[in-house]
Amino acid sequence: MKGLPSLERAVVVLSRFPGVGPKSARRMVYHLLRRGDEAILDLVTALEGLRERIRPCERCHNLSEGALCWICSDPSRDQTRLCVVEEPSDLLAMEKAGLFRGVYHVLGGRLSPLDGIGPDALHLASLESRLQAGGFVELILATNPTVEGEATAHFVAQLAESVVARVTRLAHGVPMGGELEYLDESTLYQALIGRRNFRFDP
Amino acid sequence: MKGLPSLERAVVVLSRFPGVGPKSARRMVYHLLRRGDEAILDLVTALEGLRERIRPCERCHNLSEGALCWICSDPSRDQTRLCVVEEPSDLLAMEKAGLFRGVYHVLGGRLSPLDGIGPDALHLASLESRLQAGGFVELILATNPTVEGEATAHFVAQLAESVVARVTRLAHGVPMGGELEYLDESTLYQALIGRRNFRFDP
């Protein structure tokens, strides 16, 4: 808005969020200004909390408020199964599914040579130490099914195969509730490759 | 996320924004944490800027960074036409349309007795002083076409009718690019009431 640099600045900063365009950012700013000082302070306090208290788990690089995250510090988790994910948000998605009771390793991204993200930019050294320390019977690759994610999975598999008995990856296939008609070819291709007996005994 | 109160707090505060649900709020938080300290500080600085520098224009209650907003301090605006809107965002919408070259009065809301918003909660006293000071030849009511907005328009019209020669309101009708088939009945009703000669000389 003409003559209101601080308002415009807030709009610019808020529109850096994924899925927030300049229009929604402006609506957010008006919302804050209408709700007043307290609403802005609430947000500032919450942001300072993020900045000051959230740090990576020393073992798995998940988000944490202590030295170890809530998974690494939970003795009931199965310490013999390791699931490798790209980001903390992927870990959260896995946890929501609820089946996996093992522990995680968060890579902090995926290999992407074009963006200058090589193996050194990911938490691979600490993964290797954890694997070398032994004790894992299975490593589950849960990187994203993108070109970079697949490349990352291959890289991690090579690290793991000599030390872990079983290296697996998430199944690709038809998503629950999805319709074949609207599914992309490569997913259908993967679903066909991965087909299982109808009477399946897990 | 279990064991991360500061993350959860940020999610709760961000989901107070209109149109931001818990899922997008969480995505926003992960985005900030991935981008790191600097991204969070940028946002904090922008918010502090809003809180410290934006204040209401002393004359029209539009958002401003000085005593008078950029419209009230612009000598080229027509000081004889006054447009009354509910919120600064409505003023901005009018400005984007670009036709109006007069000045504004921002009420800061609309009458809504059920929510305890009576005439005293709106900037009506300052509107009355401005009208009494004289010099206005037209007052344009640009409140929203809701029940409360219409009630507010009626209230303002009663204030103004004795001192301003012409009290008008925005036309209701078919929105440009809209299709009659999908238009609600009351808009079509208003469009019919407000019909004009096809060869219209403004």
Side-chain angles (χ1 to χ4, degrees), chain A residues 108-184:
Chain A
R110 60 191 90 178
L111 294 176
S112 181
L114 289 178
D115 304 317
I117 302 176
D120 293 345
L122 304 182
H123 302 304
L124 286 166
S126 55
L127 173 62
E128 232 175 330
S129 332
R130 289 180 80 184
L131 294 177
Q132 296 294 347
F136 289 114
V137 298
E138 182 178 3
L139 181 143
I140 301 171
L141 295 161
T143 53
N144 286 309
T146 56
V147 175
E148 290 97 348
E150 293 288 320
T152 310
H154 278 280
F155 195 94
V156 173
Q158 279 181 330
L159 280 185
E161 268 155 359
S162 57
V163 275
V164 181
R166 204 169 163 226
V167 175
T168 58
R169 71 166 193 182
L170 295 185
H172 292 314
V174 184
M176 301 301 290
E179 289 186 56
L180 294 194
E181 187 181 347
Y182 301 117
L183 208 60
D184 63 298

Side-chain angles (χ1 to χ4, degrees), chain B residues 112-124:
Chain B
S112 181
L114 289 179
D115 305 317
I117 303 175
D120 293 345
L122 304 182
H123 302 304
L124 286 166

Side-chain angles (χ1 to χ4, degrees), chain A residues 1 6 16 42 65 70, chain B residues 1 6 16 42 51 65 70:
Chain A
M1 198 191 269
S6 21
R16 286 185 201 145
D42 271 1
E65 292 205 1
W70 74 99
Chain B
M1 200 188 272
S6 21
R16 287 186 199 143
D42 271 1
R51 209 165 63 83
E65 292 206 1
W70 74 97

Side-chain angles (χ1 to χ4, degrees), chain B residues 12 29 39 41 46 48 54 71 74 98 104 114 121 125 139 149 174 178 187 191:
Chain B
V12 167
V29 170
L41 272 181
E48 297 286 10
I54 305 272
I71 289 173
D74 176 352
Y104 292 90
L114 289 179
L139 181 142
V174 184
T187 303

